[in-house]
Amino acid sequence: MLRSYPPQIVLEAVLNGLLTGAVYALVALGLTLVYGVLHIINFAHGAMLTLAMFAVLMVHLGFGLDPYLAIAPLAALFFLFGYGLQRFVISPASRNDDGAILLVTLGLSIVIENALLAVFRSDTRSLTLDYSFSIVDLGFALLSLPRVIGFGVAILVAGALWAILALTDTGKAIRAVAKEKLGAALVGIDVNHVYAVTFGLGAATIAIAACLLMPSFYVNPRAGNAFVLVAFTVVVLGGMGSIPGALVGGLIIGVVESLCGLYLGDSLGQIGIFLIFILVLLLRPTGLFGARA
Amino acid sequence: MAEALLAIDGLTAGYGQTEILRGISMTVEPGEIVAVLGSNGVGKTTLNKVISGVCGATAGRIVFAGQDITNMAPERIVAAGLIHVPEGRKIFPNMTVRENLELGSYRRAKASRATNLEKVFETFPRLMERTRQAAGTLSGGEQQMLAIGRGLMAEPRLLILDEPSLGLSPLLVEEMFGLVRRINADGLAVMLVEQNVVQSLEVASRAFILENGVFALQGNATDLAASDDLRRAYLGM
């Protein structure tokens, strides 16, 4: 059943998998960060990604802003959006009950998705840019330019996020709150502020992911969900709450999807992802980089 | 007598319908060690949490250094210089010893972080050998030192120590009480909240005995140590 391909084609599939995987990793970063600190799964993650993708579309159609130039303003905007969402909607509505937070984020996703449906209808749209179909020729492989850029920026963002968490006082406060809330409050860390900053950082990574996706992808009011489903697998594979885990997990998942697509056909490409998901849950529930509970 | 550093008046607090503190009044003067003693479950930890703002007060007033801090946000109370080293240490296990100490000056005394770090390492040389080690891998005694060191990083005006001797070996308990004396020798006021009655009364100048949410006894530490009531209730004599 398996055909054998020349090594060059397999190599190209692996490279393409890495490129896609980096964007998966970026979407997963936001999810794992919020989980690691607030200990909740943000069910609105997918809807927020869709919202960000529409935002990229709108700033391009409205102001002629290139998606890559929109990275900084949209990341800042979504940081504020995420901060406000946690501070003024999710936290007061859920009264810090974990079960309630879950339902509030689920409710938010329904609200966002239907608002987008009301405004944009269910049509699928995409951007046409001069470089959408540009190719990078490595000599041994041909790669799509927007996806190469996406890979580079995603790795940079993961590095920047790691640096923030490891080196700044705010980042240290985030890590402190993640493991020891009372201890954090008693050294003077405003825990609610840190929660909101974390949620804001998660939203900002989503906005960046949307900017990287739009030059080569399409958007409709449900477009974000496909990525977040994969991102969940990435988070489980890498270890819940682990930043390096999200990055490595994303790259692995990207390659697995690409190779499965090559050998089993495009329509079955994602089957490998879910096989990994089940295997990880069975054999190593803490994931690659996860700490034991 | 100078104005009290900490003055608590008629404080009540609880969780839901359950009242834990039922009218607490006490003072801590600048530079003194005050012991709050009592067995498990009488409200000692609740009292600390209400003072440091992580639990709400239902009635009464807490005044610290002339400022009403009743039901103030914890970070503002830290900023005012009232530092609470909690029961069970509550250090950040995933972070290094150095990062734990650095976070001690997150809200207060950030400018003098480097000098205070040196001072803490002078007081706790064992922590200096472990600066890059994850705090969760320290021994119980070292974790207690780290928690106190983290508190000292904020240049406290009043340090509340909640059960610092809990879970330590007798030798380390001795060391811990010596340490309390030493940090107080520089003029730092300490509120020592303990189950260990005998040793606490040795280091404290005054003491309050908490029973079921009210102070059953209070006074001069040496008088209390000699009091028949206390000896009967806590020392079984």
Side-chain angles (χ1 to χ4, degrees):
Chain A
M1 174 185 143
L2 288 184
R3 275 169 293 174
S4 71
Y5 288 98
Q8 192 183 351
I9 292 194
V10 177
L11 178 69
E12 210 168 85
V14 169
L15 289 175
N16 269 313
L18 287 174
L19 300 186
T20 317
V23 179
Y24 287 156
L26 196 54
V27 178
L29 272 180
L31 203 61
T32 208
L33 183 67
V34 169
Y35 176 81
V37 178
L38 284 81
H39 309 294
I40 52 149
I41 300 288
N42 174 19
F43 276 117
H45 206 68
M48 284 164 71
L49 177 61
T50 316
L51 183 68
M53 288 166 86
F54 272 110
V56 176
L57 188 78
M58 292 323 287
V59 295
H60 182 74
L61 297 180
F63 309 106
L65 196 57
D66 185 90
Y68 295 126
L69 297 178
I71 287 178
L74 281 184
L77 193 71
F78 268 73
F79 175 83
L80 293 177
F81 173 64
Y83 186 98
L85 210 56
Q86 163 62 23
R87 187 114 213 201
F88 304 113
V89 180
I90 297 175
S91 170
S94 56
R95 299 200 181 83
N96 290 324
D97 171 58
D98 285 358
I101 296 178
L102 224 61
L103 291 178
V104 171
T105 61
L106 190 63
L108 264 173
S109 78
I110 295 171
V111 170
I112 295 174
E113 219 169 80
N114 284 284
L116 289 172
L117 200 58
V119 175
F120 295 101
R121 306 290 158 201
S122 57
D123 304 338
T124 292
R125 299 156 195 249
S126 59
L127 286 179
T128 359
L129 301 155
D130 317 334
Y131 52 77
S132 280
F133 298 102
S134 298
I135 294 292
V136 181
D137 189 352
L138 293 180
F140 52 89
L142 297 175
L143 300 172
S144 136
L145 176 66
R147 295 173 71 185
V148 171
I149 296 175
F151 178 82
V153 176
I155 300 288
L156 278 180
V157 170
L161 202 58
W162 178 85
I164 290 175
L165 290 175
L167 306 174
T168 69
D169 259 23
T170 304
K172 287 174 190 167
I174 290 175
R175 285 159 59 214
V177 169
K179 284 287 185 305
E180 184 43 72
K181 229 162 86 173
L182 177 61
L186 290 178
V187 298
I189 294 170
D190 181 344
V191 174
N192 287 325
H193 173 72
V194 165
Y195 278 172
V197 167
T198 307
F199 211 88
L201 284 175
T205 59
I206 288 185
I208 298 172
C211 294
L212 301 179
L213 279 173
M214 278 314 281
S216 60
F217 209 72
Y218 59 86
V219 59
N220 63 45
R222 300 188 56 82
N225 292 339
F227 286 94
V228 172
L229 203 59
V230 176
F232 273 124
T233 319
V234 171
V235 170
V236 169
L237 172 63
M240 307 280 278
S242 163
I243 301 282
L247 188 60
V248 174
L251 296 177
I252 292 177
I253 292 286
V255 171
V256 166
E257 182 191 35
S258 176
L259 288 178
C260 284
L262 180 66
Y263 286 108
L264 307 175
D266 272 343
S267 54
L268 285 176
Q270 294 212 319
I271 205 168
I273 297 179
F274 296 104
L275 268 176
I276 286 192
F277 185 73
I278 293 167
L279 285 177
V280 170
L281 286 181
L282 281 176
L283 303 176
R284 197 179 161 85
T286 52
L288 296 175
F289 292 78
R292 267 166 218 291
Chain B
M1 197 186 273
E3 193 194 340
L5 182 60
L6 178 73
I8 300 174
D9 187 32
L11 186 69
T12 68
Y15 305 96
Q17 296 291 316
T18 320
E19 199 170 47
I20 308 284
L21 301 177
R22 301 180 294 136
I24 297 278
S25 298
M26 66 175 290
T27 59
V28 179
E29 305 296 334
E32 79 172 331
I33 301 179
V34 168
V36 173
L37 307 171
S39 6
N40 251 338
V42 294
K44 299 194 303 293
T45 292
T46 304
L47 173 62
N48 293 338
K49 284 185 172 175
V50 173
I51 295 175
S52 51
V54 288
C55 286
T58 44
R61 238 161 72 92
I62 308 169
V63 177
F64 176 68
Q67 187 184 12
D68 188 342
I69 60 163
T70 326
N71 290 330
M72 216 184 232
E75 64 270 12
R76 292 183 59 203
I77 294 175
V78 169
L82 193 162
I83 308 296
H84 169 187
V85 178
E87 180 190 0
R89 297 125 197 180
K90 308 294 178 198
I91 52 157
F92 310 122
N94 52 331
M95 303 174 78
T96 67
V97 167
R98 177 181 285 272
E99 285 174 322
N100 267 270
L101 292 173
E102 283 171 352
L103 279 176
S105 55
Y106 177 83
R107 183 66 58 183
R108 192 178 147 86
K110 201 179 271 192
S112 39
R113 181 176 278 179
T115 38
N116 287 335
L117 207 53
E118 271 173 40
K119 275 192 213 164
V120 169
F121 286 145
E122 245 169 65
T123 316
F124 304 105
R126 232 177 308 172
L127 291 183
M128 190 156 62
E129 298 158 18
R130 311 209 184 288
T131 43
R132 297 171 66 83
Q133 195 173 322
T137 64
L138 297 179
S139 73
E142 289 164 343
Q143 290 192 11
Q144 186 61 56
M145 289 175 192
L146 180 60
I148 296 176
R150 186 179 67 182
L152 292 174
M153 286 296 293
E155 297 181 358
R157 300 177 67 184
L158 170 64
L159 192 65
I160 299 183
L161 298 177
D162 193 348
E163 306 255 17
S165 76
L166 193 71
L168 300 185
S169 71
L171 205 67
L172 278 176
V173 170
E174 200 63 48
E175 200 181 317
M176 193 56 62
F177 280 100
L179 173 79
V180 172
R181 263 207 192 96
R182 254 191 299 151
I183 55 180
N184 170 257
D186 303 331
L188 172 60
V190 177
M191 178 169 151
L192 180 61
V193 181
E194 264 291 344
Q195 289 191 42
N196 192 327
V197 174
V198 180
Q199 274 158 310
S200 300
L201 288 177
E202 277 170 18
V203 298
S205 57
R206 290 185 302 132
F208 295 82
I209 316 291
L210 192 58
E211 267 175 28
N212 291 322
V214 289
F215 287 135
L217 288 168
Q218 52 182 283
N220 198 298
T222 40
D223 296 347
L224 278 174
S227 115
D228 289 339
D229 290 343
L230 185 94
R231 295 167 77 91
R232 242 193 317 275
Y234 289 95
L235 307 177
M237 292 192 265

Coordinates of all heavy atoms in Angstrom, one line a residue, chain A residues 165-167 169-173 175-191 193-194, chain B residues 49 52 54 74-75 78 83-86 90-96 99 102-107 110 113 150:
Chain A
L165 N 9.5 35.2 29.8 CA 9.2 34.4 30.9 C 10.5 34.2 31.8 O 10.4 34.1 33.0 CB 8.6 33.1 30.5 CG 7.2 33.1 30.0 CD1 6.8 31.8 29.5 CD2 6.2 33.7 31.0
A166 N 11.6 34.1 31.1 CA 12.8 33.7 31.9 C 13.5 34.9 32.5 O 14.1 34.8 33.6 CB 13.8 33.0 31.0
L167 N 13.5 36.1 31.8 CA 14.3 37.2 32.2 C 13.7 38.4 32.8 O 14.3 39.1 33.5 CB 15.1 37.6 30.9 CG 15.9 36.5 30.2 CD1 16.6 37.0 28.9 CD2 17.0 35.9 31.2
D169 N 10.9 40.7 35.1 CA 10.2 40.5 36.4 C 8.7 40.1 36.1 O 8.2 39.3 36.9 CB 10.2 41.9 37.1 CG 11.3 41.9 38.2 OD1 12.2 41.1 38.1 OD2 11.1 42.6 39.2
T170 N 8.1 40.6 35.1 CA 6.7 40.2 34.8 C 6.7 38.8 34.4 O 5.8 38.0 34.9 CB 6.2 41.1 33.6 OG1 6.3 42.5 33.9 CG2 4.8 40.7 33.3
G171 N 7.7 38.3 33.6 CA 7.7 36.9 33.3 C 7.9 36.0 34.5 O 7.3 35.0 34.6
K172 N 8.8 36.5 35.4 CA 9.0 35.7 36.6 C 7.7 35.6 37.4 O 7.4 34.6 38.1 CB 10.2 36.2 37.4 CG 11.5 36.0 36.7 CD 12.6 36.7 37.5 CE 13.9 36.5 36.7 NZ 15.0 37.5 37.1
A173 N 7.0 36.8 37.5 CA 5.8 36.8 38.2 C 4.8 35.8 37.6 O 4.0 35.2 38.3 CB 5.2 38.2 38.2
R175 N 5.5 33.0 36.0 CA 5.8 31.7 36.4 C 5.6 31.4 37.9 O 5.2 30.3 38.3 CB 7.3 31.5 36.1 CG 7.6 31.3 34.6 CD 9.0 31.6 34.3 NE 10.0 30.7 35.0 CZ 11.2 31.2 35.4 NH1 11.5 32.4 35.1 NH2 12.0 30.3 36.0
A176 N 5.7 32.5 38.7 CA 5.4 32.3 40.1 C 4.0 32.0 40.4 O 3.6 31.1 41.1 CB 5.9 33.6 40.9
V177 N 3.1 32.8 39.7 CA 1.7 32.6 39.9 C 1.2 31.2 39.4 O 0.4 30.6 40.0 CB 0.9 33.7 39.2 CG1 -0.6 33.4 39.1 CG2 1.1 35.1 39.8
A178 N 1.9 30.7 38.3 CA 1.5 29.4 37.8 C 1.6 28.3 38.8 O 0.8 27.4 38.8 CB 2.5 29.1 36.6
K179 N 2.7 28.4 39.7 CA 2.9 27.3 40.6 C 2.5 27.6 42.0 O 2.2 26.7 42.8 CB 4.3 26.9 40.6 CG 4.8 26.1 39.4 CD 4.2 24.7 39.4 CE 4.6 23.7 38.3 NZ 4.4 24.1 37.0
E180 N 2.4 28.9 42.4 CA 2.2 29.2 43.8 C 1.5 30.5 44.0 O 2.2 31.5 44.2 CB 3.6 29.1 44.5 CG 3.5 29.4 46.0 CD 2.4 28.6 46.7 OE1 2.5 27.4 46.8 OE2 1.5 29.2 47.2
K181 N 0.2 30.5 43.9 CA -0.6 31.7 43.9 C -0.5 32.5 45.2 O -0.3 33.7 45.2 CB -2.1 31.3 43.7 CG -2.8 32.0 42.7 CD -4.1 31.3 42.2 CE -5.3 31.6 43.1 NZ -6.5 31.0 42.6
L182 N -0.6 31.8 46.4 CA -0.6 32.5 47.6 C 0.8 33.1 47.9 O 0.9 34.2 48.3 CB -1.0 31.5 48.8 CG -0.9 32.1 50.2 CD1 -1.8 33.2 50.4 CD2 -1.1 31.0 51.3
G183 N 1.8 32.3 47.6 CA 3.2 32.8 47.7 C 3.4 34.1 46.9 O 4.0 35.0 47.3
A184 N 2.8 34.0 45.7 CA 2.9 35.2 44.8 C 2.2 36.4 45.3 O 2.8 37.5 45.3 CB 2.4 34.8 43.4
A185 N 1.0 36.2 45.8 CA 0.3 37.3 46.4 C 1.1 37.9 47.6 O 1.1 39.2 47.8 CB -1.1 36.9 46.8
L186 N 1.7 37.1 48.3 CA 2.4 37.6 49.6 C 3.7 38.3 49.3 O 4.3 38.9 50.1 CB 2.6 36.4 50.5 CG 1.3 35.9 51.2 CD1 1.6 34.8 52.1 CD2 0.6 37.0 51.9
V187 N 4.3 38.1 48.0 CA 5.4 39.0 47.7 C 5.0 40.2 47.0 O 5.8 41.0 46.5 CB 6.5 38.3 46.9 CG1 7.1 37.1 47.6 CG2 6.0 37.8 45.5
G188 N 3.7 40.4 46.9 CA 3.1 41.6 46.3 C 2.8 41.6 44.8 O 2.7 42.6 44.1
I189 N 2.7 40.3 44.3 CA 2.3 40.2 42.9 C 0.8 40.3 42.8 O 0.1 39.6 43.6 CB 2.8 38.8 42.3 CG1 4.3 38.8 42.3 CG2 2.2 38.6 40.9 CD1 4.9 37.5 41.9
D190 N 0.3 41.1 41.9 CA -1.2 41.3 41.7 C -1.6 40.1 40.9 O -1.5 40.1 39.6 CB -1.5 42.6 41.1 CG -3.0 42.8 40.9 OD1 -3.7 41.9 41.0 OD2 -3.3 44.0 40.6
V191 N -2.2 39.1 41.5 CA -2.5 37.8 40.8 C -3.5 38.0 39.6 O -3.3 37.5 38.5 CB -3.0 36.7 41.8 CG1 -3.4 35.5 41.0 CG2 -1.9 36.4 42.8
H193 N -4.0 40.7 37.9 CA -3.2 41.4 36.8 C -2.4 40.4 36.0 O -2.4 40.4 34.8 CB -2.4 42.5 37.4 CG -1.5 43.2 36.4 ND1 -1.9 44.0 35.5 CD2 -0.1 43.1 36.3 CE1 -0.9 44.5 34.8 NE2 0.2 43.9 35.2
V194 N -1.7 39.5 36.7 CA -0.9 38.5 36.0 C -1.7 37.6 35.2 O -1.3 37.2 34.1 CB 0.0 37.7 37.1 CG1 0.6 36.5 36.4 CG2 1.1 38.6 37.6
Chain B
K49 N -3.6 35.8 57.4 CA -4.1 36.0 56.1 C -4.9 37.3 56.0 O -4.9 38.0 55.0 CB -4.9 34.8 55.6 CG -4.0 33.6 55.2 CD -4.8 32.5 54.6 CE -4.0 31.4 54.0 NZ -4.8 30.3 53.6
S52 N -2.5 40.2 56.1 CA -1.8 40.5 54.8 C -2.8 40.7 53.6 O -2.3 40.8 52.5 CB -0.8 39.4 54.5 OG -1.4 38.1 54.6
V54 N -5.0 38.6 52.1 CA -5.4 37.6 51.2 C -6.8 37.0 51.6 O -7.4 36.3 50.9 CB -4.4 36.4 51.0 CG1 -3.2 36.9 50.2 CG2 -3.9 35.9 52.4
P74 N -3.5 42.7 48.8 CA -2.2 42.2 49.3 C -1.0 42.9 48.8 O -0.1 43.2 49.6 CB -2.2 40.7 48.9 CG -3.6 40.4 48.5 CD -4.3 41.6 48.2
E75 N -1.0 43.3 47.5 CA 0.2 44.0 47.0 C 0.4 45.3 47.6 O 1.5 45.8 47.7 CB 0.2 44.0 45.5 CG -0.9 44.8 44.8 CD -2.2 44.0 44.6 OE1 -2.3 42.9 45.1 OE2 -3.1 44.5 43.9
V78 N 2.0 44.7 51.0 CA 3.4 44.4 50.8 C 4.2 45.7 50.6 O 5.2 46.0 51.2 CB 3.6 43.4 49.7 CG1 5.1 43.3 49.3 CG2 3.1 42.1 50.0
I83 N 5.3 42.3 55.7 CA 5.6 41.1 54.9 C 5.3 39.8 55.7 O 5.7 39.7 56.9 CB 7.1 41.0 54.5 CG1 7.6 42.3 53.8 CG2 7.4 39.8 53.6 CD1 6.9 42.6 52.5
H84 N 4.5 38.9 55.1 CA 4.0 37.7 55.7 C 4.7 36.5 55.1 O 4.6 36.3 53.9 CB 2.5 37.7 55.5 CG 1.8 36.4 55.9 ND1 0.5 36.2 55.6 CD2 2.3 35.3 56.4 CE1 0.2 35.0 56.0 NE2 1.2 34.4 56.5
V85 N 5.5 35.8 55.9 CA 6.1 34.6 55.4 C 5.2 33.4 55.8 O 5.0 33.1 57.0 CB 7.5 34.4 56.1 CG1 8.1 33.0 55.6 CG2 8.4 35.5 55.7
P86 N 4.5 32.8 54.8 CA 3.3 32.0 55.2 C 3.7 30.6 55.7 O 4.8 30.1 55.5 CB 2.6 31.8 53.8 CG 3.7 32.0 52.8 CD 4.7 32.9 53.4
K90 N 5.4 28.2 50.9 CA 4.9 28.8 49.7 C 5.9 29.4 48.8 O 5.7 30.5 48.2 CB 3.7 29.8 50.0 CG 2.7 29.2 50.9 CD 1.9 28.1 50.3 CE 0.9 27.6 51.2 NZ 0.4 26.2 50.9
I91 N 7.1 28.8 48.7 CA 8.1 29.2 47.8 C 7.7 28.8 46.4 O 6.8 28.0 46.2 CB 9.5 28.6 48.1 CG1 9.3 27.1 48.3 CG2 10.0 29.3 49.4 CD1 10.6 26.4 48.1
F92 N 8.4 29.3 45.3 CA 8.1 29.0 44.0 C 9.0 27.8 43.6 O 10.1 27.9 43.2 CB 8.3 30.2 43.0 CG 7.6 31.4 43.6 CD1 8.4 32.6 43.8 CD2 6.3 31.4 43.8 CE1 7.8 33.7 44.3 CE2 5.7 32.6 44.3 CZ 6.4 33.7 44.6
P93 N 8.4 26.5 43.6 CA 9.2 25.3 43.4 C 9.9 25.2 42.1 O 10.9 24.6 42.0 CB 8.2 24.2 43.7 CG 6.9 24.8 43.3 CD 7.0 26.2 43.7
N94 N 9.2 25.8 41.0 CA 9.7 25.6 39.7 C 10.8 26.6 39.3 O 11.4 26.6 38.3 CB 8.6 25.8 38.7 CG 7.8 27.1 39.0 OD1 7.7 27.6 40.1 ND2 7.2 27.7 37.9
M95 N 11.1 27.5 40.3 CA 12.1 28.6 40.0 C 13.4 28.4 40.8 O 13.3 27.7 41.9 CB 11.5 30.0 40.2 CG 10.2 30.1 39.4 SD 9.3 31.6 39.8 CE 10.3 32.8 38.9
T96 N 14.4 29.0 40.4 CA 15.7 28.9 41.1 C 15.6 29.6 42.4 O 14.8 30.5 42.6 CB 16.9 29.4 40.3 OG1 16.8 30.8 40.2 CG2 17.0 28.7 38.9
E99 N 15.9 33.3 41.7 CA 14.7 33.9 41.2 C 13.7 34.1 42.3 O 13.0 35.1 42.4 CB 14.1 33.0 40.1 CG 14.9 33.2 38.8 CD 14.4 32.2 37.7 OE1 14.0 31.0 38.1 OE2 14.3 32.6 36.6
E102 N 14.8 37.1 44.2 CA 14.5 38.3 43.4 C 13.0 38.7 43.5 O 12.7 39.9 43.6 CB 14.9 38.1 42.0 CG 16.4 38.2 41.7 CD 16.9 37.7 40.4 OE1 16.0 37.2 39.6 OE2 18.0 37.9 40.0
L103 N 12.2 37.7 43.4 CA 10.7 38.1 43.5 C 10.3 38.6 44.8 O 9.3 39.3 44.9 CB 9.9 36.8 43.1 CG 9.8 36.6 41.6 CD1 9.0 35.3 41.3 CD2 9.1 37.8 40.9
G104 N 11.1 38.4 45.8 CA 10.9 39.0 47.1 C 10.8 40.5 47.1 O 10.1 41.1 47.8
S105 N 11.6 41.0 46.1 CA 11.6 42.5 46.0 C 10.8 42.9 44.7 O 11.1 43.9 44.1 CB 13.1 43.0 45.9 OG 13.7 42.3 44.8
Y106 N 9.8 42.1 44.4 CA 9.0 42.5 43.2 C 8.2 43.8 43.4 O 8.2 44.6 42.5 CB 8.0 41.3 42.9 CG 7.0 41.5 41.8 CD1 7.4 41.3 40.5 CD2 5.7 42.0 42.0 CE1 6.5 41.5 39.4 CE2 4.9 42.2 41.0 CZ 5.3 41.9 39.7 OH 4.4 42.1 38.6
R107 N 7.7 44.0 44.6 CA 6.8 45.1 44.9 C 7.6 46.2 45.7 O 7.2 47.4 45.7 CB 5.6 44.6 45.6 CG 4.5 45.6 45.9 CD 3.8 46.2 44.7 NE 3.2 45.2 43.9 CZ 2.6 45.5 42.7 NH1 2.5 46.7 42.3 NH2 2.1 44.5 42.0
K110 N 13.0 47.3 45.2 CA 13.6 46.7 44.0 C 14.9 47.4 43.7 O 15.8 46.7 43.2 CB 12.6 46.9 42.8 CG 12.8 46.0 41.7 CD 11.8 46.2 40.6 CE 10.6 45.4 40.7 NZ 9.7 45.4 39.5
R113 N 17.9 45.7 45.3 CA 17.8 44.3 45.2 C 19.2 43.6 45.3 O 19.4 42.6 46.1 CB 17.2 43.9 43.8 CG 17.1 42.4 43.5 CD 16.4 42.2 42.2 NE 15.0 42.2 42.3 CZ 14.1 42.0 41.3 NH1 14.6 41.8 40.1 NH2 12.8 42.1 41.5
R150 N 13.3 35.4 51.2 CA 12.5 36.1 50.3 C 11.7 37.2 50.9 O 11.6 38.3 50.4 CB 11.5 35.1 49.7 CG 10.6 35.6 48.5 CD 9.7 34.6 48.0 NE 8.7 34.2 48.9 CZ 7.8 33.2 48.7 NH1 7.7 32.6 47.6 NH2 6.9 32.9 49.6

